[in-house]
Amino acid sequence: MTVNIFLLFFLLIIVAYLMQKYDKKLSLKNCIYDKFLIPFINFINKKNVEDIIEIQQIKDNHIVINSQHKTLYAIELSGFDTIEQPLSELTVENLFDFASKDPKGYFFQAILKDGSYQKQYIFSYSKDVVEIIAKSLNIKLLKGKEIVDVLFDLFLDNSFYIKNKKIFRQLNISEDTTVSLSSFETTFNKIMKNNTFNNLNTMRVYQCYQIKKKYEKIDYNALYNLDFTGVIWGYYDFNKERAIQYANNLVTQRKFYGGKEPFVNYEKLLEKGTKKVLTVNFEFVSKDSNLSIINKISEILGISFTIKRNKLTNTLIKTPLKFRDTRFDLPCTIDFLKGRISTVHKKSARSPDFFGVDSKNAHTNFGFADENANPHSIIIAPTGTGKSVAKQKITSQMLEIDFKTGFAAKLGLTSYHYGIRNFDVGYSDRPTFELLKSNKKNSIGEIHGDLKYFSFNVVNFELDENGEPLTEDIQFASDILSMILESQGGDSLNTILGLSIKEAGLFRKIVKMIYKKKDYEEYKVRKLKKNRINLYNELVALGYTDNTKLQDIKEEEYDYLKSPLLKDILNYAIIEKSNQLIDELERLNYANLAIKLESINQLGYFSDFDNIKITDTAYIYAELNSIKESNLFVPMFFGIFWKIYIKDRNRALKLKKLGLARPKLIYEIEEASNHFRFKTFVTMFEKLVYEARKYNIHMMFIIQNAEEVPYTIFKNINTRIFLLPPDQKEDIISYIEKELKASPKVIESLKKSKEYDLIIWYNKGVINIKLQYSDNELEFFTTNPNEINKSNECEVQSLNGEDI
């Protein structure tokens, strides 16, 4: 045999020499390598891939492959958290009791890592086995076509990209219309043969040869953070008959070597059923891992790997689903399985609003309305934690802002777009707003919250088809009046803060009456001459005189001047407090109402026509820094808020009547702790939570300290986002646990978080997201010029493109 190989090699040298003499461009070395060795290796590889795993049929919830048990079922191990949620010990026990009697009582675990595309799957030829695991973790079985795509991913020859905040496969057979002329099965098999042919020269396989004595829970966070691309395959067999046969084989082998007694005892324990034992086998298929990474993986999994050189081809072309090297089957007790099967990644949202990476650097996303009963959110983060930067990043992802051109592709007031109502304090969002404003394609509006010129008519209402204001709008006005009184520390009666129930009822009664009868003063153009000179000049330029009644102005843009003023409500209350035709208690309530309205009227800011012009724009920027020091900051804010809200509400109702989806309207409210101090706001917000949701309006509050949030507010906001500074972390977590009634897994996630992580506690679970920033974004998001190019110091990740 050796002589034949030598002669063949000698003949190869002679032929190569003659070819090189014929073609002077060829070196002898290249001639041997290119003309003989490579074609020979390719020939062997092509012969090898003839026995590759193949799909024979694709069914609704499984596929049929060319293996012994044929029908293959699968689930993806993903949940609602980014912390580990393992199978319960009871489920593991039940799984063993069932599967030990089932001929197909085994399953495969596939742990995939390919950049930020990270997945974990369970496969089994037994539907019951898969369903036991799926039911325990609240997971649905994968569809047949989905299993096809998963198998393709596990051959490590796909690529991935991010679009619409989701991560997608570059090749997605089940959704690719270009393969419609051919069956999915045929297409898959062709691609697999091609890719496997390439993989035979690039992949390495490592085989587990022993299990460490101490069984420990897998730290998936540490595992996925290792630098590797590959699939870790685990095989778990519960079948009792196969376990006994395995033990019998060990006894037979030991007869020749001696020392069979321990294995005989082991076999007897299995036969009696006193020992819950399963058979396991592990392989690691990798593209790029070095020995150091292999050792770390071994340590985390509690097993030992060695590089595999024998039967390597079988593993690569058949996968462990069709072939395993039974020489490396290992017995272990059921305790080994406890803590190993766990959801570790969050399911992708159907309609995500933003994305980032989790603690394992896996792509993850989140949708405020998609994953909650209500879409409202609150960001709680002390100064210096990066809350303003995080808020702007979330907003920029929603709008898909191009920071080179300023164009926001998803900014709009039509279906499947976003509208932003930014109530900024401190100019933190000003640079981004100016960028958006610079691009004429964007729909942009601005409200200047200047205390000097602030004027809000609290009784100027939008009218329904009957010419009457809506009851909820009147209630809103009543709440604002109460806020004004609260901001002044009470009222001149020194009794209660805000309007009493009786007074609020009388206020609503007066408003409805004077609107219905139009029983209020007929103001003339001359009224604007003192405080609204620019407006006065506009009307004079249009041909109106001082004596023109405001009711007679024809242009629709001035309709807001045709409404009553607070003075008209006050005058009616003054008249009624002396009305002898009503009982004394009602006269007293009118008198109290008159005193309170008079005190508000004297402030000046709420006694004249509106100076707040709300345009029908997608992005409204209201800079409130100039009024934040005023004790009237909150009621002034709500005056602006209300005008915008009413316009958005009416638009949403029109779209609903037309059967069109409403845009998502995000109300970003800085310095929210100011609002939470008002009892009126707490009461009003409980109503707004449910009403705003109908109009696709999302409230986003931004505050510094968890202590500033009343629990009544907190429990009605479904998305709670925390950023924790390292020096205050323990104290904040302690408060969240005790006062905000956080669950153990929320506390676990908070404790494991790193600086600049977003910890999101939402309806279904808790996740952490690390946002990724490009240099262009950081230049706009920070207001401190010393921080512009310090992304590395802040430990934020740079993401200059969408391909990963």
Side-chain angles (χ1 to χ4, degrees):
M1 180 69 178
T2 304
V3 174
N4 291 337
I5 293 175
F6 177 78
L7 290 174
L8 181 63
F9 180 74
F10 181 74
L11 181 62
L12 177 65
I13 296 293
I14 296 297
V15 174
Y17 175 76
L18 292 174
M19 291 181 67
Q20 188 265 340
K21 294 288 289 180
Y22 178 77
D23 187 350
K24 298 294 184 181
K25 295 180 180 179
L26 289 173
S27 67
L28 185 61
K29 179 181 178 181
N30 289 341
C31 184
I32 293 172
Y33 186 78
D34 294 336
K35 301 297 183 181
F36 292 98
L37 190 57
I38 293 298
F40 179 72
I41 292 173
N42 288 343
F43 172 76
I44 296 299
N45 284 346
K46 285 180 180 178
K47 293 296 291 182
N48 283 335
V49 298
E50 294 302 319
D51 195 26
I52 190 174
I53 185 173
E54 289 188 348
I55 297 176
Q56 296 173 339
Q57 285 182 297
I58 300 175
K59 301 292 186 177
D60 182 50
N61 63 357
H62 68 275
I63 61 173
V64 179
I65 64 175
N66 59 335
S67 63
Q68 178 186 359
H69 288 124
K70 301 292 185 182
T71 56
L72 184 67
Y73 299 86
I75 55 173
E76 178 185 332
L77 289 180
S78 59
F80 302 110
D81 307 282
T82 52
I83 59 173
E84 295 162 20
Q85 298 295 311
L87 282 178
S88 67
E89 292 191 8
L90 178 60
T91 300
V92 174
E93 296 283 348
N94 292 339
L95 181 61
F96 182 90
D97 292 341
F98 171 81
S100 61
K101 305 178 186 70
D102 185 353
K104 295 188 287 186
Y106 60 94
F107 69 84
F108 304 88
Q109 178 187 24
I111 301 170
L112 168 67
K113 182 175 185 291
D114 195 343
S116 65
Y117 190 82
Q118 301 177 13
K119 300 288 184 179
Q120 193 179 172
Y121 301 101
I122 297 294
F123 298 92
S124 181
Y125 295 103
S126 168
K127 184 179 181 182
D128 293 322
V129 167
V130 174
E131 285 186 331
I132 289 172
I133 299 173
K135 185 177 180 180
S136 174
L137 297 174
N138 192 26
I139 296 172
K140 293 181 179 179
L141 269 64
L142 292 176
K143 296 182 182 300
K145 290 181 181 179
E146 292 173 330
I147 299 175
V148 174
D149 284 322
V150 168
L151 290 180
F152 184 80
D153 294 343
L154 295 175
F155 273 81
L156 299 173
D157 211 13
N158 210 340
S159 57
F160 309 93
Y161 64 95
I162 296 171
K163 183 180 179 181
N164 296 329
K165 297 107 181 170
K166 296 182 180 181
I167 192 165
F168 292 92
R169 302 174 174 94
Q170 192 69 48
L171 180 56
N172 195 335
I173 297 175
S174 62
E175 296 180 4
D176 194 342
T177 56
T178 61
V179 301
S180 58
L181 297 178
S182 179
S183 69
F184 291 121
E185 297 91 333
T186 303
T187 301
F188 174 84
N189 295 336
K190 286 178 181 178
I191 294 174
M192 282 302 96
K193 282 192 176 183
N194 179 65
N195 291 342
T196 305
F197 175 77
N198 296 328
N199 288 348
L200 288 172
N201 297 322
T202 59
M203 296 297 178
R204 289 187 176 185
V205 178
Y206 299 86
Q207 177 69 56
C208 167
Y209 63 90
Q210 72 173 3
I211 298 174
K212 297 181 181 179
K213 291 182 179 179
K214 188 178 180 181
Y215 298 163
E216 293 183 350
K217 179 182 175 182
I218 296 177
D219 185 349
Y220 281 101
N221 202 59
L223 179 65
Y224 276 107
N225 269 299
L226 295 176
D227 185 19
F228 72 88
T229 298
V231 184
I232 301 168
W233 286 94
Y235 167 81
Y236 303 86
D237 189 356
F238 302 87
N239 184 265
K240 184 177 179 180
E241 291 184 8
R242 280 194 294 271
I244 294 173
Q245 181 61 45
Y246 175 75
N248 181 261
N249 291 340
L250 291 174
V251 172
T252 302
Q253 292 173 17
R254 282 295 172 177
K255 285 180 180 178
F256 298 98
Y257 303 107
K260 69 176 183 178
E261 288 76 15
F263 299 97
V264 171
N265 293 333
Y266 171 61
E267 185 178 19
K268 289 178 180 178
L269 287 174
L270 288 175
E271 289 174 346
K272 292 179 181 178
T274 56
K275 197 80 170 175
K276 291 190 174 182
V277 174
L278 60 151
T279 307
V280 299
N281 194 310
F282 294 93
E283 288 181 316
F284 174 39
V285 181
S286 174
K287 271 187 177 181
D288 53 11
S289 298
N290 55 39
L291 185 59
S292 173
I293 296 295
I294 300 302
N295 290 337
K296 290 177 181 177
I297 292 174
S298 297
E299 187 67 28
I300 292 169
L301 296 180
I303 57 181
S304 297
F305 280 111
T306 183
I307 191 164
K308 189 169 187 177
R309 305 184 190 279
N310 191 13
K311 298 187 178 182
L312 174 67
T313 302
N314 278 331
T315 298
L316 290 175
I317 68 174
K318 299 180 182 181
T319 78
L321 296 173
K322 186 177 178 184
F323 167 83
R324 83 176 189 280
D325 195 338
T326 57
R327 298 173 303 164
F328 291 95
D329 282 353
L330 299 169
C332 61
T333 66
I334 192 174
D335 294 330
F336 178 76
L337 186 58
K338 294 174 181 177
R340 300 186 78 84
I341 306 302
S342 174
T343 60
V344 294
H345 295 104
K346 175 187 171 293
K347 296 177 181 178
S348 179
R350 292 189 303 272
S351 302
D353 293 306
F354 66 97
F355 70 93
V357 294
D358 64 16
S359 57
K360 297 167 258 320
N361 284 311
H363 175 88
T364 191
N365 55 33
F366 184 77
F368 292 108
D370 187 41
E371 305 183 269
N372 287 293
N374 72 57
H376 310 305
S377 60
I378 185 167
I379 300 176
I380 304 174
T383 302
T385 53
K387 65 178 180 295
S388 293
V389 175
K391 183 198 77 172
Q392 291 184 75
K393 174 64 178 182
I394 290 170
T395 305
S396 70
Q397 286 191 349
M398 290 179 185
L399 302 183
E400 296 184 7
I401 299 174
D402 183 333
F403 280 86
K404 293 180 179 178
T405 66
F407 178 62
K410 290 292 185 179
L411 177 63
L413 294 175
T414 54
S415 303
Y416 309 111
H417 284 71
Y418 291 88
I420 302 295
R421 282 73 181 97
N422 190 340
F423 299 95
D424 194 16
V425 178
Y427 306 103
S428 59
D429 294 357
R430 188 84 203 182
T432 305
F433 168 70
E434 292 294 343
L435 173 69
L436 294 172
K437 190 177 177 182
S438 69
N439 192 307
K440 295 181 179 179
K441 294 181 181 179
N442 295 326
S443 173
I444 299 292
E446 183 174 3
I447 296 172
H448 299 279
D450 194 327
L451 184 63
K452 183 178 179 181
Y453 300 106
F454 184 89
S455 180
F456 170 65
N457 182 3
V458 75
V459 292
N460 176 24
F461 300 103
E462 296 260 349
L463 305 180
D464 62 16
E465 58 273 14
N466 299 317
E468 298 177 358
L470 297 176
T471 301
E472 54 263 40
D473 291 351
I474 302 175
Q475 181 60 51
F476 209 118
S478 175
D479 290 337
I480 290 179
L481 292 174
S482 288
M483 285 185 196
I484 297 169
L485 293 168
E486 285 186 59
S487 70
Q488 303 306 297
D491 54 75
S492 57
L493 295 177
N494 197 26
T495 52
I496 62 170
L497 297 176
L499 300 180
S500 70
I501 295 175
K502 290 288 187 182
E503 292 159 1
L506 292 177
F507 173 77
R508 291 193 296 271
K509 179 180 178 181
I510 296 172
V511 168
K512 288 184 177 181
M513 189 277 298
I514 66 172
Y515 263 94
K516 186 174 182 179
K517 296 182 177 180
K518 296 192 181 298
D519 187 15
Y520 50 91
E521 185 176 340
E522 293 183 334
Y523 298 103
K524 297 181 180 180
V525 170
R526 70 164 65 92
K527 177 173 175 55
L528 306 174
K529 199 170 187 178
K530 181 179 180 182
N531 297 322
R532 306 289 292 278
I533 187 64
N534 290 337
L535 180 57
Y536 170 81
N537 290 334
E538 283 180 28
L539 294 174
V540 171
L542 290 172
Y544 298 110
T545 67
D546 283 11
N547 292 322
T548 303
K549 294 178 181 179
L550 297 180
Q551 295 286 347
D552 295 334
I553 296 175
K554 298 177 181 178
E555 290 77 8
E556 288 186 6
E557 62 182 294
Y558 299 108
D559 282 353
Y560 68 96
L561 298 175
K562 300 177 182 180
S563 66
L565 297 174
L566 185 61
K567 179 183 175 182
D568 297 298
I569 311 297
L570 170 60
N571 289 339
Y572 192 92
I574 291 173
I575 292 171
E576 288 299 297
K577 76 177 182 178
S578 302
N579 187 351
Q580 297 300 315
L581 298 178
I582 59 178
D583 62 56
E584 183 178 351
L585 181 58
E586 190 168 359
R587 288 200 303 272
L588 179 60
N589 287 325
Y590 270 117
N592 292 341
L593 176 62
I595 292 171
K596 293 180 180 181
L597 294 182
E598 176 60 29
S599 65
I600 295 172
N601 198 51
Q602 288 177 1
L603 293 172
Y605 298 113
F606 307 94
S607 57
D608 206 344
F609 296 109
D610 288 325
N611 195 20
I612 303 168
K613 187 176 182 180
I614 308 298
T615 55
D616 197 25
T617 51
Y619 193 113
I620 297 176
Y621 180 76
E623 171 50 59
L624 306 179
N625 203 62
S626 64
I627 65 172
K628 74 172 185 177
E629 301 304 328
S630 170
N631 58 11
L632 289 167
F633 170 69
V634 175
M636 285 179 169
F637 157 78
F638 269 96
I640 299 169
F641 171 94
W642 184 32
K643 294 297 180 184
I644 299 172
Y645 180 84
I646 294 302
K647 202 169 191 68
D648 287 339
R649 181 193 66 190
N650 292 344
R651 183 190 312 104
L653 289 171
K654 290 178 182 177
L655 290 172
K656 184 178 180 180
K657 289 179 181 178
L658 294 172
L660 300 174
R662 278 80 74 198
K664 293 181 180 179
L665 301 172
I666 315 297
Y667 282 58
E668 299 177 343
I669 304 170
E670 291 274 5
E671 302 281 356
S673 56
N674 290 304
H675 313 304
F676 298 151
R677 297 191 188 104
F678 286 75
K679 293 180 180 179
T680 306
F681 171 75
V682 174
T683 302
M684 184 180 66
F685 178 72
E686 291 179 2
K687 292 180 285 186
L688 269 178
V689 163
Y690 302 105
E691 182 180 306
R693 181 177 57 186
K694 295 187 296 185
Y695 311 125
N696 215 7
I697 290 175
H698 304 196
M699 304 292 179
M700 180 187 288
F701 300 105
I702 299 94
I703 68 168
Q704 292 188 19
N705 301 306
E707 295 90 341
E708 297 170 345
V709 190
Y711 186 68
T712 309
I713 292 285
F714 189 82
K715 71 179 183 180
N716 282 309
I717 296 177
N718 284 163
T719 300
R720 301 86 176 252
I721 302 175
F722 300 93
L723 288 97
L724 304 180
D727 58 335
Q728 302 175 44
K729 188 172 180 177
E730 289 185 12
D731 292 339
I732 294 174
I733 291 175
S734 177
Y735 180 85
I736 293 170
E737 183 175 20
K738 293 176 182 177
E739 302 299 328
L740 301 184
K741 302 177 177 59
S743 66
K745 68 179 180 181
V746 172
I747 298 303
E748 180 185 352
S749 187
L750 289 167
K751 287 180 177 178
K752 288 183 177 180
S753 67
K754 296 180 179 180
E755 192 173 8
Y756 304 110
D757 280 1
L758 272 64
I759 303 92
I760 303 176
W761 173 11
Y762 70 114
N763 248 21
K764 297 177 181 178
V766 58
I767 62 174
N768 76 293
I769 293 182
K770 184 184 296 181
L771 300 175
Q772 301 171 298
Y773 302 88
S774 69
D775 293 338
N776 282 343
E777 289 173 329
L778 288 174
E779 290 178 6
F780 286 98
F781 293 166
T782 181
T783 56
N784 184 345
N786 296 318
E787 295 179 357
I788 285 179
N789 291 314
K790 291 190 176 183
S791 58
N792 291 332
E793 292 180 20
C794 295
E795 294 184 12
V796 293
Q797 298 183 13
S798 178
L799 182 69
N800 292 313
E802 285 208 326
D803 287 340
I804 56 174

